[in-house]
Amino acid sequence: MARAPRITVVEDEEALCLLLRYNLEAEGYLVETITRGDEAEIALRETVPDLLVLDWMLPGLSGIELCRRLRARRETGILPIIMLTARGEESERVRGLATGADDYMIKPFSTPELLARIRAMLRRVNPSLLLNVLSFSDLKLDREQHRVYRKERELKLGPMEFRLLEFLMQSPGRVFSRGQLLDNVWGPDIYVDDRTVDVHVGRLRKAINIGRSIDLIRTVRGAGYSFG
Amino acid sequence: MARAPRITVVEDEEALCLLLRYNLEAEGYLVETITRGDEAEIALRETVPDLLVLDWMLPGLSGIELCRRLRARRETGILPIIMLTARGEESERVRGLATGADDYMIKPFSTPELLARIRAMLRRVNPSLLLNVLSFSDLKLDREQHRVYRKERELKLGPMEFRLLEFLMQSPGRVFSRGQLLDNVWGPDIYVDDRTVDVHVGRLRKAINIGRSIDLIRTVRGAGYSFG
DNA sequence: TTTTTGCTGTCATGTAACTGTCATCCAGCT
DNA sequence: AGCTGGATGACAGTTACATGACAGCAAAAA
């Protein structure tokens, strides 16, 4: 499997939490589990995962309300959400979707089906997440082999440079602020200077723009960086 | 929603086709119905709707195969697809999703539920476009990519010009005083001369009115500026 | 163990781009 | 015309980014 997409599970039943974590990690995802709705809202303000599995009933803040609030924010407006509902009444199903969940599962549900839905949804939102080889122009990044090529010629990247490039290549053209890059590439709990990003982008540039190649990384003054 | 979303229904049962067309049109969608899989493939090469309702079993070309082919093409790679399946065996469900459908309904299904799912899915697809790209006439501003185009030609804007244009484009036609612009674009705690706005509007004008294009920014004497 | 090598984060410096102000010119209104 | 408010070019101060240098680590090699 490709580089792990991040999935956050918000579910108060301890047993189900463990089951989901076990299965999702077996599929190769990076999993974060949260048991309370209000805690989830705070956590999601920090970092946005690639997909959210959300229980309908939660202590602190109900799943449906959390969903509504997430949809109202730009950062999480299109975050894929799969809702877990206890009862299968149709009125509730419809309400769940109408609130902005992208899909729902009725408990008890089959784990393989949930995994299939997650895969389908991730592919729809950002196909790059599930690809093993990202390429753009004459640059190719192989996640499995941890190798990068520019025009058939292999490049030598440090670990940080590789991860930075990988992340940027997942959303070509999109501009990320230094804060976003630190969160997503360095990790949410790492506190380093914003300007460190500049240095690494510089190193990455030097590494991938061998010879006279055009610069594949764009600096957006006052905003951040983007690939392509 | 600005324009009526287009929905294509591919279904061979005449009665179901009529029922769906009737209900979807009542909701305000533009509906096209096709009864054969191979015909659908040809039609979808011409125009891509906003959403596709696709029967599992079809004459000419099966729904699952059509789905697979659509996913392979760039234009229809992320076209939202709701699959209609006759039997509800889980293996088939999973197969449907794994092929790339975004959702499915098991026949016989409840019409309100289908409508709710369509609504939810369109909201997810359309706002994502609407959220990130502002456009007016031949001017296009992409927030995510931080790029601005006039007639396919990319413009070079400074950070302030970009933010100013972004703000103005959010409410086309509305007039903002210099004070309002300072508050909203510069920030509430920034104290600069009112006349600074004039200069930036001037710079923005110069940047977006390349050549002989008509001026997209309107000066309202004694009141302020507006876009469009 | 010590030595070497490679990677990372911070800092200092240089530079190019951006910003705010002002003076001057111009257009619209009475 | 005369007045008022807006447009514009010039300019200096400031900001944000690029880059080279370097020390602290950690892993690999000797």
Side-chain angles (χ1 to χ4, degrees):
Chain A
M1 155 85 61
R3 138 106 152 66
R6 284 184 304 264
I7 297 182
T8 298
V9 177
V10 190
E11 164 65 57
D12 58 326
E13 281 177 49
E14 207 67 60
L16 184 53
C17 251
L18 280 172
L19 176 73
L20 289 178
R21 171 183 284 279
Y22 177 81
N23 279 289
L24 290 170
E25 282 180 347
E27 285 274 305
Y29 300 116
L30 280 176
V31 184
E32 182 182 14
T33 50
I34 304 175
T35 51
R36 294 180 54 88
D38 43 4
E39 279 175 22
E41 192 183 18
I42 294 164
L44 288 166
R45 232 175 256 287
E46 289 291 318
T47 37
V48 180
D50 298 304
L51 186 142
L52 182 67
V53 177
L54 183 59
D55 193 18
W56 176 275
M57 294 284 288
L58 285 170
L61 181 67
S62 84
I64 191 162
E65 175 60 17
L66 176 56
C67 188
R68 213 179 58 73
R69 293 190 191 178
L70 290 174
R71 283 291 178 252
R73 291 183 50 224
R74 238 172 65 79
E75 300 81 0
T76 51
I78 59 162
L79 168 67
I81 298 178
I82 296 182
M83 201 81 124
L84 305 179
T85 70
R87 288 166 300 165
E89 296 140 293
E90 181 179 295
S91 64
E92 286 210 337
R93 294 192 203 177
V94 175
R95 231 180 110 210
L97 286 171
T99 315
D102 301 282
D103 203 349
Y104 66 88
M105 302 283 298
I106 301 163
K107 292 198 238 181
F109 52 83
S110 113
T111 311
E113 186 178 349
L114 177 62
L115 295 177
R117 290 195 186 214
I118 286 175
R119 217 175 302 122
M121 201 160 286
L122 285 175
R123 185 181 32 232
R124 196 162 91 65
V125 165
N126 189 349
S128 305
L129 280 174
L130 299 173
L131 289 177
N132 274 326
V133 176
L134 304 175
S135 59
F136 183 97
S137 161
D138 58 355
L139 191 73
K140 211 169 61 177
L141 181 147
D142 189 322
R143 295 168 136 147
E144 240 173 18
Q145 311 211 357
H146 249 258
R147 289 174 194 270
V148 182
Y149 303 88
R150 179 96 194 234
K151 231 179 172 183
E152 310 304 322
R153 181 168 191 77
E154 182 169 0
L155 309 177
K156 198 185 156 305
L157 298 187
M160 220 60 196
E161 278 131 66
F162 184 87
R163 291 208 288 157
L164 179 58
L165 179 62
E166 181 188 14
F167 180 74
L168 287 173
M169 281 185 83
Q170 257 165 30
S171 312
R174 176 161 171 194
V175 176
F176 295 98
S177 71
R178 292 174 175 72
Q180 286 176 309
L181 291 173
L182 287 176
D183 276 355
N184 288 287
V185 178
W186 273 255
D189 309 320
I190 308 289
Y191 298 102
V192 293
D193 195 289
D194 265 21
R195 291 288 144 205
T196 300
V197 176
D198 297 31
V199 178
H200 279 273
V201 167
R203 286 170 183 157
L204 180 55
R205 275 198 173 117
K206 186 179 286 183
I208 68 177
N209 298 330
I210 43 174
R212 232 165 262 282
S213 319
I214 47 163
D215 192 356
L216 285 171
I217 298 180
R218 179 171 58 118
T219 301
V220 181
R221 185 169 254 259
Y225 298 96
S226 87
F227 176 84
Chain B
M1 202 168 297
R3 82 191 149 78
R6 286 183 311 257
I7 297 182
T8 299
V9 177
V10 190
E11 165 63 58
D12 59 325
E13 281 178 49
E14 205 68 56
L16 185 52
C17 248
L18 280 171
L19 177 72
L20 288 178
R21 171 182 284 279
Y22 176 83
N23 279 289
L24 290 171
E25 282 181 347
E27 288 269 311
Y29 301 116
L30 285 174
V31 183
E32 184 182 13
T33 50
I34 304 175
T35 51
R36 294 179 55 87
D38 43 1
E39 279 174 23
E41 193 184 17
I42 294 165
L44 288 166
R45 233 175 256 286
E46 288 293 315
T47 40
V48 179
D50 297 304
L51 186 142
L52 183 65
V53 177
L54 183 58
D55 193 18
W56 176 274
M57 295 283 290
L58 284 171
L61 181 67
S62 83
I64 193 165
E65 175 60 17
L66 176 55
C67 188
R68 213 181 54 73
R69 294 192 191 177
L70 289 174
R71 282 291 178 256
R73 290 182 51 224
R74 236 177 57 80
E75 301 80 5
T76 51
I78 58 160
L79 168 67
I81 298 177
I82 297 182
M83 201 80 121
L84 305 179
T85 70
R87 290 167 299 168
E89 296 138 295
E90 181 181 292
S91 64
E92 286 210 336
R93 292 193 206 179
V94 174
R95 233 178 108 208
L97 286 170
T99 314
D102 301 286
D103 203 349
Y104 65 88
M105 302 281 298
I106 301 163
K107 292 200 241 182
F109 54 82
S110 110
T111 311
E113 185 181 344
L114 177 62
L115 294 177
R117 290 198 183 217
I118 287 174
R119 222 177 298 126
M121 204 162 283
L122 284 177
R123 188 182 15 235
R124 296 247 310 109
V125 172
N126 227 333
S128 70
L129 299 174
L130 217 118
L131 209 62
N132 292 322
V133 177
L134 302 171
S135 63
F136 184 94
S137 164
D138 57 355
L139 190 73
K140 209 171 70 177
L141 182 148
D142 189 321
R143 298 173 133 135
E144 200 176 77
Q145 306 217 347
H146 253 263
R147 290 179 193 269
V148 181
Y149 302 88
R150 181 93 195 239
K151 229 178 171 183
E152 310 303 321
R153 181 167 193 78
E154 183 169 1
L155 310 177
K156 200 187 154 301
L157 267 58
M160 219 61 195
E161 278 131 64
F162 186 89
R163 289 203 284 160
L164 179 58
L165 179 61
E166 183 186 11
F167 179 75
L168 287 173
M169 281 185 83
Q170 273 169 4
S171 313
R174 177 162 167 199
V175 179
F176 295 98
S177 71
R178 291 173 177 73
Q180 286 176 308
L181 290 173
L182 286 176
D183 275 355
N184 287 287
V185 178
W186 273 254
D189 309 320
I190 308 288
Y191 298 103
V192 293
D193 195 292
D194 265 20
R195 291 287 146 202
T196 299
V197 176
D198 297 31
V199 178
H200 279 274
V201 168
R203 297 206 249 250
L204 180 55
R205 276 195 171 121
K206 185 179 286 182
I208 67 177
N209 299 329
I210 43 174
R212 236 165 259 283
S213 318
I214 48 163
D215 191 359
L216 283 172
I217 298 179
R218 184 169 53 113
T219 302
V220 182
R221 199 180 170 83
Y225 299 96
S226 87
F227 176 84

